[in-house]
Amino acid sequence: MSVTKPQRSDDELLANLGYKPELKRSWSGFSNFAISFSVISILSGPFISFFIGWNNGGPAAISWGWPIVCALILVVGLCMGELVSAMPTSGGMYYWAAKLGSLRSSYFTGWLDFLGLLAIVAAVSYGCATFIDVTLSSFSSAWAEGYSLSRVFLIFIAVLVVVTILSIFSSHLLAIFNNISVWWHVIGTAAIIAIIIFVPERHASMADVFSQRINNTGWFDGATTGMGFIFLVLPLAVILPQFTVTGYDASCHMSEETKGASNSAANGIWQAILYSAIGGWILLLGILFAVQDADAVTASGGSVVTVLNQALSGPWVSTVLVISTVGQCFCAMACMTSTTRMLFAFSRDGAVPGARIWPRLNKSGVPLYSVALVAGLAILLALPALVEVDINGAPVPVAFNAVVSIGVVGLYLAFAIPIYQRLRKGSAFERGSWHLGRNYKWLGTIAVVEIALTTVIALLPTSPLGAPWNPDFEWKYFNYTPLVVGGTLLVLWLAWQLRVRHTYTGPRHTVDLPNGLTSADELEIEYEEHHPGHHHAVHGSHEKSDANHRA
């Protein structure tokens, strides 16, 4: 990768993309990194989705799968960094798709991105609610005895209400929260690792951590060998790292509020991925070494809380849970911020029903209505979590697993479309100050293949009882990811065919153009006629894109 000194100010570059600055540019490069790091949140994903790795392969799947998958995710992040450096706008992927491909690809990319971000908000907030309930239970036996899915869901709603209230304050305040979040994650993770290393009287062996395999899905009678285990059960463990290390497009969506965005946003992406991958792996290895009774963990459905209760005394368990839960609260807030900024940009360009409402900013410069809409939709998406489900006698949150998969599919498909289009663009792609050089070819190819495989995995049934061809099939076991994603794509296709292709014009120019000119390109031409040989950063687009003329 290469970095060159930016030639234009942030506002000039934004104007060249067609937008006037509306959001307050108060975020530093560290703050931009901080929000992606907070959205990834190694205090969230490894704890709330640990069961996915444990049930679908066990310790071996987690210890080996995490670094391998994270290395592939880093490749995706590097490709994203090159794109955001060239086009640092809150719209991110859908804007890139419009400029590199077509309006249709832009429309679908934007909605896939929004669906993925929405699912991440729901999943993280619900996971946070679960851990709040567990944390309170660690302090009160009476609270623990009153456990119910309804109570957890009410806590989930409360989390979203608090996050919504905090999100409507100034953007600068959110940046401060994310800066604090980084240090909470760094110090908190280090503290948890130290606790689970030094407090337990004994630890699992190297063989237990790196070679023990578990199949707690119900598939193939629990077999941990054979083609079925390798090609159906084991791949499902990929969702653990793929869900955790995602949402780093937050650096893109906050680029209009970041100083030096062309470099800062690109660096924010890959740094957040790399540091989270390293810290997350060490944390997960610590948890795996803390396992005292693998059979008991399996019987609990792969619960990380069971691992903690085995290895630690009550006060230490409570300490770890508090650290993790606070980190998850920070993560939920960062997810909300990223999602609402994407919705702000997508609505600004007229791609969302009620588009005039969602981009409206309050006195603090925050899209208030976007925040409220995201919170409401997240609650609706998580409603199936109220259904009780057990597999092999263990409580397994199938609905939560589906929300996680929806987030993974939506986001990564939205990443793949512009990355593929950049590959097709080749040397005609106008690079930003941070770029991959010639490495874009092999890095982009790996990224697209990785996303394609992950998407297929996320659509697989997670239990034989959730497979439609099984005579014992029950809907409560069903991975409803294919229904949500497929149904969304069908609705989008119908909307496109019936109306949107006639109304959606892609990214709009919101800059003020003088002298009655109708496009930024005309402004560029006029300037060149009067100032031949001079470079000028105009308030519009430097290149005439034909995206607005393509379906």
Side-chain angles (χ1 to χ4, degrees), residues 39-330:
V39 172
I40 292 174
S41 182
I42 54 176
L43 289 176
S44 178
F47 281 90
I48 66 178
S49 55
F50 177 83
F51 74 95
I52 296 176
W54 184 275
N55 292 333
N56 297 284
I62 297 173
S63 58
W64 291 106
W66 179 274
I68 293 173
V69 175
C70 284
L72 295 173
I73 294 173
L74 181 59
V75 171
V76 176
L78 291 172
C79 295
M80 295 275 286
E82 183 178 52
L83 288 165
V84 74
S85 179
M87 295 170 278
T89 169
S90 296
M93 285 68 72
Y94 86 84
Y95 182 95
W96 306 340
K99 295 303 179 182
L100 299 176
S102 67
L103 291 185
R104 181 170 56 185
S105 68
S106 170
Y107 180 71
F108 277 82
T109 299
W111 276 103
L112 284 169
D113 186 25
F114 179 64
L115 175 64
L117 289 169
L118 179 64
I120 295 299
V121 170
V124 170
S125 299
Y126 189 84
C128 179
T130 301
F131 267 72
I132 289 175
D133 188 82
V134 171
T135 302
L136 292 175
S137 296
S138 72
F139 288 101
S140 170
S141 57
W143 182 271
E145 292 174 0
Y147 171 81
S148 71
L149 289 177
S150 298
R151 187 176 73 184
V152 173
F153 202 84
L154 289 175
I155 297 174
F156 162 63
I157 294 175
V159 168
L160 284 173
V161 170
V162 172
V163 167
T164 298
I165 293 173
L166 292 175
S167 295
I168 64 177
F169 291 104
S170 71
S171 174
H172 182 65
L173 179 62
L174 294 175
I176 293 174
F177 273 122
N178 282 294
N179 292 348
I180 296 173
S181 172
V182 170
W183 297 112
W184 183 272
H185 277 78
V186 171
I187 297 173
T189 301
I192 291 175
I193 291 171
I195 290 172
I196 57 182
I197 287 178
F198 295 110
V199 174
E201 295 182 358
R202 60 174 293 273
H203 291 86
S205 66
M206 293 288 287
D208 290 333
V209 171
F210 289 98
S211 63
Q212 184 180 19
R213 292 173 292 183
I214 293 170
N215 177 3
N216 196 32
T217 64
W219 284 110
F220 314 113
D221 297 323
T224 56
T225 58
M227 302 299 283
F229 176 77
I230 294 173
F231 290 105
L232 178 57
V233 177
L234 195 58
L236 292 171
V238 167
I239 302 300
L240 166 59
Q242 201 80 35
F243 164 67
T244 301
V245 189
T246 193
Y248 43 81
D249 55 319
S251 289
C252 307
H253 300 311
M254 300 308 296
S255 59
E256 291 186 32
E257 296 167 70
T258 302
K259 300 171 185 176
S262 187
N263 284 334
S264 297
N267 287 323
I269 291 174
W270 74 261
Q271 289 173 357
I273 294 172
L274 179 62
Y275 300 150
S276 297
I278 295 172
W281 194 37
I282 296 172
L283 175 61
L284 283 168
L285 288 177
I287 294 172
L288 291 174
F289 274 112
V291 173
Q292 310 290 305
D293 183 350
D295 291 337
V297 177
T298 300
S300 71
S303 171
V304 71
V305 178
T306 300
V307 178
L308 297 177
N309 285 327
Q310 287 180 354
L312 307 172
S313 60
W316 287 116
V317 172
S318 298
T319 300
V320 172
L321 290 175
V322 168
I323 293 172
S324 173
T325 301
V326 173
Q328 291 175 41
C329 290
F330 278 124

Side-chain angles (χ1 to χ4, degrees), residues 489-537:
L489 290 175
L490 178 60
V491 170
L492 291 176
W493 180 82
L494 290 172
W496 177 265
Q497 295 296 328
L498 296 175
R499 187 172 187 275
V500 176
R501 63 176 177 169
H502 304 297
T503 59
Y504 180 55
T505 58
R508 297 173 176 177
H509 291 291
T510 63
V511 290
D512 297 323
L513 298 174
N515 304 325
L517 300 179
T518 59
S519 75
D521 302 293
E522 291 180 9
L523 179 58
E524 176 78 1
I525 293 171
E526 180 185 80
Y527 185 89
E528 289 296 332
E529 289 177 349
H530 290 87
H531 304 81
H534 288 255
H535 172 76
H536 179 63

Side-chain angles (χ1 to χ4, degrees), residues 375-527:
L377 292 177
I379 292 173
L380 291 176
L381 188 60
L383 279 175
L386 287 168
V387 179
E388 293 188 14
V389 177
D390 67 86
I391 296 176
N392 295 333
V396 177
V398 174
F400 174 80
N401 197 6
V403 175
V404 168
S405 296
I406 291 167
V408 169
V409 171
L411 281 182
Y412 276 94
L413 283 179
F415 297 170
I417 293 171
I419 291 174
Y420 173 72
Q421 291 171 332
R422 189 271 175 269
L423 279 172
R424 294 188 61 186
K425 202 76 172 178
S427 59
F429 175 74
E430 186 176 341
R431 301 183 303 193
S433 58
W434 192 103
H435 57 85
L436 301 174
R438 296 180 179 178
N439 295 318
Y440 81 87
K441 295 181 180 179
W442 65 271
L443 288 172
T445 301
I446 291 175
V448 172
V449 171
E450 194 273 344
I451 293 172
L453 291 175
T454 299
T455 299
V456 172
I457 291 170
L459 299 177
L460 296 174
T462 56
S463 161
L465 296 176
W469 58 85
N470 189 328
D472 297 323
F473 169 81
E474 291 186 52
W475 279 106
K476 66 179 183 179
Y477 298 103
F478 183 65
N479 174 12
Y480 62 93
T481 305
L483 289 182
V484 174
V485 176
T488 299
L489 290 175
L490 178 60
V491 170
L492 291 176
W493 180 82
L494 290 172
W496 177 265
Q497 295 296 328
L498 296 175
R499 187 172 187 275
V500 176
R501 63 176 177 169
H502 304 297
T503 59
Y504 180 55
T505 58
R508 297 173 176 177
H509 291 291
T510 63
V511 290
D512 297 323
L513 298 174
N515 304 325
L517 300 179
T518 59
S519 75
D521 302 293
E522 291 180 9
L523 179 58
E524 176 78 1
I525 293 171
E526 180 185 80
Y527 185 89

